[in-house]
Amino acid sequence: MKPLAIFDLDNTLLNGDSDHAWGEFLCQKGIVDETAYRAANDRFFEQYKAGTMDINEFLEFALKPLTEHSKAQLDQWHNEFMSEVIEPIILPKAEELLATHRAAGDRLMIITATNSFVTGPIAKRLEVDEFLATEPEQLNGAYTGKIAGTPCFQSGKVTRLNEWLKEHNANLSGSHFYSDSINDLPLLEQVERAVAVNPDERLTAEAQQRGWPILDLRR
């Protein structure tokens, strides 16, 4: 088993948050009620940054638009989202870091709280081997607005990763995890090499206290 190089996505490999950006995209395209949706999207984003967000409440909000349109229409919008919003915020230094781990023979993984509809195509764009995200439930090819399995958030990332490790008869020997957020502290504590990437204030303090490297991928 190759060593795992695990990456958070939002504000780690991206210079922005794809979850919040998708909500903003829906507002700008007139797909949702702009005033009400933006206010809620911004409120949840502030709660996320503070480490106080109720993931189930947020997912009820975030997954609802997926239930209101066909998969074909959603995919068309997502293609626009990728070109207009995501491509400009992919960090060149993040791609270099991925390439370094790839060249070292590591097995690359993105693990993100953002749902897989939003983030799956981003992981493919970044050519990452393995991908764990919050999974929206689907029934007969349509989104139900519910979650399938454990949300990939805070300690849920540890749960989901442990499930993956068991399924693949793998372990965390030689593993790295790169993240910007205090929400990822539970998983940062599990890996052999934790790295804070452009970290928020609370994670900066934790990294300094624990002697974890702090990396800037934005310069």
Side-chain angles (χ1 to χ4, degrees), residues 10 17-23 37 40-48 52-65 113-115 118 134 145 147 151 153:
D10 298 315
D17 185 284
S18 62
D19 218 349
H20 183 266
W22 171 251
Y37 199 91
N41 196 39
D42 290 348
R43 174 170 56 85
F44 281 119
F45 189 43
E46 291 305 314
Q47 291 173 356
Y48 170 81
T52 61
M53 187 178 75
D54 182 324
I55 187 62
N56 293 303
E57 182 186 5
F58 170 69
L59 288 171
E60 183 178 355
F61 160 79
L63 299 181
K64 189 173 187 296
T114 303
N115 72 77
V118 171
T134 297
I147 313 157
F153 178 64

Side-chain angles (χ1 to χ4, degrees), residues 151-213:
C152 200
F153 178 64
Q154 294 181 344
S155 62
K157 284 192 176 183
V158 177
T159 299
R160 291 288 304 280
L161 179 59
N162 284 338
E163 291 171 352
W164 185 93
L165 292 170
K166 183 177 180 181
E167 180 183 350
H168 291 80
N169 193 28
N171 57 57
L172 292 176
S173 176
S175 59
H176 291 72
F177 180 41
Y178 297 85
S179 177
D180 71 294
S181 175
I182 192 64
N183 287 291
D184 284 336
L185 185 60
L187 183 50
L188 286 162
E189 292 176 327
Q190 300 299 312
V191 297
E192 284 197 4
R193 299 177 181 87
V195 184
V197 178
N198 299 105
D200 60 34
E201 185 175 337
R202 290 172 64 191
L203 183 56
T204 297
E206 286 285 346
Q208 290 172 340
Q209 180 180 345
R210 296 169 186 252
W212 293 341

Side-chain angles (χ1 to χ4, degrees), residues 9-17 89 91-94 180 197-200 215-219:
L9 178 64
D10 298 315
N11 286 305
T12 301
L13 299 177
L14 301 178
N15 187 21
D17 185 284
I89 62 171
L91 291 164
K93 284 191 175 181
D180 71 294
V197 178
N198 299 105
D200 60 34
L215 195 59
D216 186 349
L217 296 181
R218 292 177 179 164
R219 294 183 180 178

Side-chain angles (χ1 to χ4, degrees), residues 64-90:
K64 189 173 187 296
L66 301 184
T67 70
E68 298 171 336
H69 304 280
S70 70
K71 189 67 163 57
Q73 178 65 82
L74 291 167
D75 288 343
Q76 178 185 326
W77 284 330
H78 199 287
N79 287 337
E80 296 174 20
F81 175 67
M82 286 293 295
S83 61
E84 295 174 14
V85 180
I86 296 301
E87 282 294 339
I89 62 171
I90 293 175

